[in-house]
Amino acid sequence: MSTNHACFERAQKYIPGGVNSPVRAFGQVGGEPFFVARAEGAYMWDVEGKRYTDFVGSWGPMISGHAHPDVVAAVTDAATHGLSYGAPCPDEAELAAEIIKLVPSIELVRMVNSGTEATMSAVRLARGFTGRDLIVKFSGCYHGHADSFLVKAGSGVATLGLPNSPGVPACLADLTLTCEFNDLEALSEIMRVHGERIASIIVEPVAGNMNCVPPLPGYLQGMRKLCDDHGSVLIFDEVMTGFRVALGGAQSVFGVKPDLTTFGKVIGAGMPVGAYGGRRDIMSMIAPLGPVYQGGTLSGNPLAMAAGLANLKLIQVEGFYDRLTATTTTFCRGMQAAADAAGVPFATVEVGPMFGLYFAERVAKNYTESAKSDIDAFKRFFHASLKRGVFFAPSAYEAGFISLAHTDEIIAESLAACTEAMAEVGRGQ
Ligand code: KE4
């Protein structure tokens, strides 16, 4: 049997930092990552056989739990018919049809292979449709690693404390204007000055990459009006919130209709899938229908389509979101009680089955506030929970996720472990 340390040593010989995505390396929390041998339901097991209750869920996709039998069966069956065709297959249209059925703002949708590809393509499309170059994003929001987004980004970029990423040409970074999330006045001023040059505002309707930060009342509605007033394309980046915070995504929760929406995570059930879609007049600009180019060897991959279709079927079961939302509330209330008992400044926020844990007096409304939380307390809590078999995202700038597999018993078991972990934090250990 190998050990986590041996796996990490070996991985570092061949892979930068030993990981294929920076946030996995435990950079903000210290220590070494465990290496997963297998996952099932709400649990993951490392190579040493230690079991973890998983509140990361592969950063959102595993809303039905790891290795759900329906998803595994769909992928296994698809694999027997070949792994990739480089030619269209019927399931691509079936998954597109399901997304369009569930999200009324979508008239046409294109499959890609990651959230980054989805957002990168949506912004190119918005620029092609408007003939404009500037975009607006928000400090702490993360839209993947395309050059235009690595400006005051969240998630792994914030975790590593990088204001921006080297390698992004200044001439390109200059085309991305940034603004604090939830500050409609500041956004209005940007649009007043630059609006006629702004191709798009791209936003996480519930920010999940600077911890979990919901929009203030009226914020998204105000953003919609600003885009209408200035002819800019409103892109909701629902890679994380899509089919996560509600069946119709964040746009259905807040009643705001974007022009384009990006997806990922849940629509692939853990397989590499992203998608972007929206208004027919805009999407019709995409090749081969229109002149804006975007392509991908593995886009619409049959195994990924099968996984996505199986997952979207599972989430449409009556009461699915009610159940997960109630579980999330139980968990967050239990965490707050544990912190209060331990005398630890703490706050939680939840949007459906997505939540944020703050080692701070209150939930943040933007990145500046989120960055003021007690990162050291979070770090100690993270490790105190991990050693008790509970795995949270290894960064204070991430959200947490509940799945269908998080039963009442598993939540109770996790809260007992986290209560002990919080007591350790309260004792200054
Ligand atoms: P990917 O390219 O990682 O599939 O998706 C990029 C992306 C786009 N938009 C939003 C709102 C996202 O949350 C993401 C990716 N999320 C992070 C988790 N915070 C992925 C984790 C990682 O980078 O390893």
Side-chain angles (χ1 to χ4, degrees), residues 84-409:
S84 178
Y85 308 133
C89 71
D91 272 358
E92 295 173 72
E94 294 318 311
L95 183 56
E98 274 303 286
I99 291 169
I100 290 168
K101 179 187 85 175
L102 296 171
V103 187
S105 69
I106 312 282
E107 295 179 304
L108 288 176
V109 61
R110 167 63 61 85
M111 303 297 164
V112 292
N113 301 284
S114 69
T116 294
E117 268 196 86
T119 54
M120 175 177 73
S121 308
V123 160
R124 180 184 308 136
L125 174 57
R127 285 171 159 155
F129 178 73
T130 59
R132 303 174 180 178
D133 292 339
L134 295 182
I135 64 169
V136 178
K137 73 172 287 293
F138 300 91
S139 302
C141 282
Y142 178 72
H143 304 291
H145 65 88
D147 284 349
S148 294
F149 303 134
L150 293 181
V151 177
K152 293 184 184 176
S155 186
V157 181
T159 299
L160 298 178
L162 298 172
N164 298 317
S165 171
V168 177
C171 63
L172 188 56
D174 290 347
L175 297 179
T176 300
L177 306 180
T178 59
C179 179
E180 277 283 24
F181 186 69
N182 272 328
D183 186 343
L184 195 55
E185 196 176 315
L187 180 59
S188 302
E189 180 59 11
I190 285 178
M191 297 306 280
R192 187 186 66 78
V193 174
H194 304 286
E196 307 324 309
R197 296 173 55 220
I198 289 176
S200 175
I201 295 175
I202 182 167
V203 68
E204 293 179 60
V206 176
N209 289 286
M210 53 172 124
N211 204 314
C212 180
V213 183
L216 292 175
Y219 180 63
L220 297 176
Q221 289 78 0
M223 193 179 291
R224 173 69 273 172
K225 184 174 185 314
L226 285 168
C227 283
D228 292 341
D229 292 350
H230 295 277
S232 304
V233 173
L234 178 56
I235 300 174
F236 272 11
D237 177 358
E238 295 223 44
V239 166
M240 184 181 286
T241 56
F243 310 107
R244 163 57 63 179
V245 298
L247 185 56
Q251 55 195 271
S252 70
V253 174
F254 298 100
V256 174
K257 191 174 180 181
D259 301 308
L260 295 177
T261 304
T262 55
F263 299 101
K265 300 181 192 279
V266 170
I267 65 167
M271 294 292 284
V273 183
Y276 63 100
R279 279 170 37 190
R280 184 177 295 275
D281 60 329
I282 301 177
M283 289 300 292
S284 299
M285 291 280 288
I286 281 289
L289 262 184
V292 178
Y293 192 73
Q294 178 268 312
T297 303
L298 300 177
S299 296
N301 175 275
L303 277 66
M305 298 297 100
L309 281 165
N311 219 23
L312 291 196
K313 191 173 176 187
L314 287 165
I315 66 174
Q316 292 181 67
V317 169
E318 184 67 33
F320 181 92
Y321 287 92
D322 293 341
R323 156 87 190 281
L324 267 62
T325 299
T327 302
T328 308
T329 300
T330 301
F331 181 69
C332 289
R333 285 180 180 159
M335 288 297 294
Q336 189 64 60
D340 294 347
V344 174
F346 186 78
T348 69
V349 64
E350 47 190 291
V351 184
M354 174 176 165
F355 63 88
L357 305 178
Y358 286 84
F359 284 83
E361 293 295 343
R362 67 186 62 78
V363 172
K365 61 174 182 296
N366 58 39
Y367 178 65
T368 302
E369 291 183 8
S370 185
K372 289 176 183 164
S373 64
D374 186 341
I375 303 293
D376 182 60
F378 167 76
K379 176 177 169 180
R380 289 184 284 121
F381 173 76
F382 172 84
H383 283 292
S385 299
L386 193 67
K387 76 182 177 191
R388 292 175 171 84
V390 180
F391 176 51
F392 294 103
S395 164
Y397 298 126
E398 298 291 350
F401 304 101
I402 296 286
S403 83
L404 187 63
H406 286 83
T407 61
D408 295 346
E409 295 73 28

